[in-house]
């Protein structure tokens, strides 16, 4: 076995332990909690493609999570098809839709891109709230006919974890591949990448559309987890939360956001009962990470695991600088 | 009393672009910094202003090393940079642009730059290219700077405007030393006293401007047949 | 009746102007989309409410609220934003964190419930306008908006400090090349942004309510106004405030649920077609050619 595959056996063991744990008497409460955490882990991984891979700050990622929730809810309601199939169909529809939205949004830079993503997501959120006939408005959609395997808490617990593992390993492999290097090259120096024939908007548009599809899968799983769809799940707060997770976990490491997504979800849902001010501490930790740990908490771990490409961190000095003001470029 | 660059090195986004720049500008002197596109002329000016990351060597003013002084400090101790596009505030009026330039009364410049009178309250964005450069030089005069760094002043100007610009630069040298980056050889020869040639990030030769064509580096450094400069 | 609706729209516009002018200026000079503004708004809202409850007059409470928010902003700028001077992405993310922290802090101290703003006397009364009662308080909003606008114009157009700020808004590099120290100027504008947001918070209480979610609830509206007006432009902010305020009053009069949706749509369209805003000049387009 090559040295760089040494982590495989322990990982496989961990995966098996994880799956059989509920049958060995894991507490149903914890099983349920962890299920939610893992789904948020997938959501966080999807946002890492935005912040980590494209280097753009989007405040509208909740839109794609919501697209998964409502898309799957409506599709299952209308056709009664298999839930997992519905999730995949919705993800497949989300990808081109997101590509279109982002091709338009990517005409804008920096803060303007952040703002248009925010506005589009808020617009969708308002539509969902107001289109009562279709979405049930603030009452949400309930009584979704989920496939039986999603009704068994132990399966519901295992499926997202399997998907998360596939996504994390797959994305890390893609990140190291030629395509991944192109994505990173475009992020680090779009002008230079353009000289090699890589169109910034196209490369970022594709990355963002993949990210949205993953977010939609997370949303579909979240629907299965909750059994109902509520507009709050796609509010701006959801978008902020996933951003916090990725920043704290460490943008661009894929693992970091996955772990942070799970961890912060678990903390939030176990601490809100004991400390009412969990969000305050979360905010403080987040601000400190932005200030002092450009690679996130994940950056504190062994380098080989967390930052395999030795790339420059997104949040380092100078990142995004060239896009702050067009006028300044006159002087260069 | 010199602006002195010695073994100056600088890099852009981590890539070295200046390797060894050596030159002196004395008061009253107009020194033309010549070389082909990408030789590092503009970067040299930007490095003097602290706008480009200096990685080695020295920028000295009257013997004092400017070290890591921020741009605003360099401006305040008397180095004035006129970028290619003139570097005036487009959203501000001519008067406001002058007010920001220095301690003197804006009206003082009317003697040397009477054409600004009619444009006094016009927004700089509405000025022609030549007017904008005249405004930039008027700001330079008003700032009382003892060193002027002028980047490609001739770019895009008609011959008549260019003559006026030459006069203005000649007037400024009474108060200051001028480091002039220029592609237009004829213009450079008409205003400069001396030249410095740059090639791939380093200065390679210098001398009086009359001797420019005799320089062994001339053909190479100017990528010979640089007719674009001559014909402008 | 229509006169009443229009006047209500103008009063909303006045409020939106106070709410957004600071954000617009801060973006102009720092290039930072200041989410924290929603936090300073909230601090001002609660500060004014607290003082009103303890016997202070409304104007004193509102001015004090502005001051407290301004000081908060100054501290935030000094401790958290200044170290990230050359990292606009980090600054943007930090302001989001500040917003969350301030919102939670207010939630912690004052609780999540909606508080009653104690309004009495003339400010709680109404006047008949177009056959319908019109709250006198809304006239105060209009007056406040107007005064703030005139003060800002006087500051920016009439003082040398204002001239430097406008220079810095146009180009930080050029300003530094003119010997202007931009760093303290940024702190100053940032604090001014805090003051305006806090004052807006104080104005919001009597008609919007006092609750911890007020900051994030108004955030979207602020963004709409500054985008349509053009980031960095005070005149643009005023025009955009009028458009949005009147649109909200008129659309809201006929279809209350649609008002915000229509305004968000307007924001998206402006961002796509004219990212520099209706009156702004600095484009936000991705440049494909520049180095």
């Amino acid at each position: 076995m090559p040295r760089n595959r040494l982590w495989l056996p322990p990982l496989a063991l961990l995966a098996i332990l994880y799956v059989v744990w509920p049958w060995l008497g894991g507490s149903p409460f914890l099983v349920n909690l962890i299920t939610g955490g893992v789904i948020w882990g997938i959501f966080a991984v999807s946002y890492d493609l935005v912040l980590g891979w494209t280097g753009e700050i989007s405040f509208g990622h909740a839109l794609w999570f919501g697209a998964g929730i409502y898309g799957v809810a409506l599709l299952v309601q209308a056709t009664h098809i298999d839930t997992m199939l519905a999730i995949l169909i919705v993800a497949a529809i989300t990808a081109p839709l997101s590509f279109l939205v982002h091709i338009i949004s990517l005409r804008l830079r920096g803060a303007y891109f952040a703002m248009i993503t925010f506005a589009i997501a808020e617009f969708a959120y308002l539509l969902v709230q107001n289109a009562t006939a279709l979405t049930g408005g603030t009452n949400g959609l309930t009584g979704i006919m989920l496939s039986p395997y999603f009704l068994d808490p132990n399966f519901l617990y295992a499926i997202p974890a399997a998907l998360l593992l596939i996504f994390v390993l797959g994305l890390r492999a893609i990140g190291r591949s030629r395509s991944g290097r192109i994505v990173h090259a475009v992020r680090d120096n779009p002008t230079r990448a353009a000289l090699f024939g890589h169109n910034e908007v196209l490369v970022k548009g594709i990355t963002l559309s993949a990210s949205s599809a993953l977010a939609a899968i997370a949303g579909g799983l979240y629907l299965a987890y909750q059994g109902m769809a509520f507009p709050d799940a796609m509010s701006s707060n959801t978008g902020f939360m996933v951003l916090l997770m990725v920043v704290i976990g460490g943008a661009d490491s894929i693992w970091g956001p996955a772990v942070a997504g799970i961890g912060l979800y678990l903390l939030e849902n176990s601490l809100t009962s004991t400390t009412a001010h969990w969000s305050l501490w979360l905010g403080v930790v987040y601000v400190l990470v932005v200030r002092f740990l450009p690679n996130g908490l994940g950056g504190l771990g062994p380098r080989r695991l967390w930052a395999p490409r030795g790339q420059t961190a997104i949040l380092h000095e100078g990142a995004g600088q060239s896009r702050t003001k067009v006028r300044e470029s006159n002087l260069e | 009393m010199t602006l002195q660059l010695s073994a100056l090195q600088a890099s852009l986004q981590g890539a070295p672009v200046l390797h060894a720049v050596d030159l002196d500008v004395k008061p009253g002197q107009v020194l033309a910094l010549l070389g082909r596109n990408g030789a590092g002329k503009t970067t040299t000016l930007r490095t003097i202003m602290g706008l480009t990351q200096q990685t080695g060597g020295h920028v000295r003013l009257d013997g004092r090393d400017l070290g890591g002084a921020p741009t605003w400090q360099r401006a305040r101790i008397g180095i004035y940079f006129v970028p290619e596009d003139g570097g005036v505030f487009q959203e501000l009026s001519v008067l406001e642009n002058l007010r920001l330039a220095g301690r003197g009364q804006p009206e003082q410049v009317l003697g040397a730059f009477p054409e600004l009178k009619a444009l006094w309250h016009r927004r700089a964005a509405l000025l022609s290219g030549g007017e904008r450069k005249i405004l930039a030089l008027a700001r330079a005069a008003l700032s009382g700077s003892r060193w002027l760094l002028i980047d490609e002043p001739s770019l895009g100007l008609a011959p008549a405007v260019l003559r006026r610009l030459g006069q203005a630069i000649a007037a400024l040298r009474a108060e200051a030393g001028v480091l002039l980056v220029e592609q237009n050889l004829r213009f450079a020869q008409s205003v400069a006293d001396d030249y410095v040639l740059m090639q791939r990030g380093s200065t390679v030769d210098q001398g009086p401007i009359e001797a420019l064509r005799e320089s062994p580096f001339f053909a190479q450094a100017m990528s010979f047949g640089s007719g674009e400069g001559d014909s402008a | 009746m229509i006169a009443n609706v229009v006047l209500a729209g103008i009063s909303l516009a006045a409020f939106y102007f106070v709410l957004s002018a600071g954000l617009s200026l801060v973006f102009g000079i720092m290039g930072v989309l200041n989410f924290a503004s929603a936090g300073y708004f909230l601090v001002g809202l609660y500060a004014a409410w607290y003082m009103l409850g303890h016997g202070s007059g409304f104007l004193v409470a509102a001015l004090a609220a502005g001051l407290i928010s301004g000081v908060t902003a100054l501290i935030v700028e000094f401790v958290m934003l200044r170290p990230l001077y050359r990292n606009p992405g980090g600054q943007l993310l930090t302001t989001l964190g500040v917003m969350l922290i301030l919102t939670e802090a207010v939630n912690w101290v004052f609780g999540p419930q909606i508080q009653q703003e104690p309004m009495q006397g003339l400010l709680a009364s109404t006047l008949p306008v177009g056959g319908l009662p019109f709250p006198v308080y809304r006239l105060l909003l209009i007056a406040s908006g107007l005064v703030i606008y005139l003060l800002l114009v006087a500051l920016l157009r009439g003082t040398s400090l204002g001239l430097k700020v406008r220079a810095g808004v146009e180009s930080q590099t050029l300003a530094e090349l003119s010997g202007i120290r931009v760093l303290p100027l940024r702190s100053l504008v940032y604090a001014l942004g805090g003051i305006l947001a806090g004052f807006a918070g104080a104005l919001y209480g009597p008609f919007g309510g006092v609750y911890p979610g007020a900051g994030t609830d108004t955030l979207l509206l602020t963004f709409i106004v500054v985008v349509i007006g053009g980031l960095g432009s005070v005149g643009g902010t005023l025009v955009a405030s009028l458009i949005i305020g009147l649109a909200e009053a008129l659309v809201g009069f006929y279809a209350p649920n649609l008002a915000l949706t229509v305004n968000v749509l307007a924001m998206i369209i402006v961002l796509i077609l004219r990212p520099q805003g209706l009156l702004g000049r600095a484009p936000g387009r991705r440049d494909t050619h520049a180095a």
Side-chain angles (χ1 to χ4, degrees), chain C residues 259-285:
Chain C
L260 186 57
T261 317
V262 168
N263 284 338
V264 179
L265 193 61
M267 170 181 177
I268 295 171
I269 292 170
V270 167
L271 271 175
I272 293 171
L273 299 181
R274 209 179 143 76
Q276 70 272 42
L278 294 183
L279 272 76
R281 294 198 185 89
R285 288 255 165 84

Side-chain angles (χ1 to χ4, degrees), chain B residues 49-232:
Chain B
M49 293 315 298
L51 291 173
T52 301
Q53 170 111 54
Q54 182 182 336
T55 48
H58 304 276
V59 178
R60 289 201 188 86
L61 199 65
D62 305 341
R64 199 161 54 114
D65 196 323
L66 295 187
T71 301
W72 62 269
Q73 230 168 35
R74 294 170 193 240
R76 279 195 196 174
I77 57 176
I79 315 179
Y80 193 93
F81 176 44
V82 181
E84 209 180 283
D85 64 350
V88 299
F89 295 100
Q90 312 263 351
E91 300 300 319
L92 305 183
S93 71
V94 168
L95 174 60
E96 287 171 330
N97 264 292
L98 291 170
R99 273 204 185 121
L100 283 173
R103 301 145 211 109
Q105 285 299 314
E107 288 73 17
Q108 287 170 3
V109 301
L110 287 176
F113 303 93
E115 60 265 65
L116 290 178
K117 178 82 182 157
L119 310 168
W120 212 233
H121 294 290
R122 190 169 296 179
R123 208 153 54 80
L126 303 174
L127 301 180
S128 72
E131 288 167 342
R132 213 171 289 161
K133 280 177 185 165
I134 289 293
L135 172 59
L137 293 180
R139 294 188 74 211
L142 196 63
S143 72
S145 300
R146 287 180 303 133
W147 311 101
L148 302 184
L149 317 178
I150 311 180
D151 194 10
E152 302 269 7
S154 72
L155 207 72
L157 296 189
V161 185
L162 208 51
R163 271 195 298 282
R164 170 70 188 107
L165 206 66
Q167 286 171 1
I169 292 173
L172 284 170
R173 67 188 294 172
E175 313 274 330
V178 179
L179 180 58
L180 178 74
V181 165
E182 197 39 87
Q183 293 276 356
N184 182 335
L185 266 189
R186 188 180 296 170
F187 181 68
Q189 282 172 318
S190 73
V191 294
D193 308 304
D194 300 284
Y195 72 87
V196 170
L197 278 179
M198 265 190 99
Q199 212 174 346
R200 276 182 256 108
S202 300
T203 46
V204 290
D205 189 28
Q206 53 187 333
I209 196 86
E210 299 77 29
L212 174 62
R213 284 176 194 272
E214 280 99 72
S215 164
F217 293 92
F218 177 69
Q220 211 184 356
M222 302 301 289
S223 69
F224 201 67
S226 65
E228 6 116 45
D230 277 333
S231 63

Side-chain angles (χ1 to χ4, degrees), chain A residues 230-248:
Chain A
F230 281 111
D232 264 7
M234 58 185 296
S235 74
S236 54
N237 237 341
T238 301
F240 296 154
M241 192 51 73
V242 75
L243 183 142
L244 261 62
M245 286 171 172
V246 173
V247 168
I248 291 175

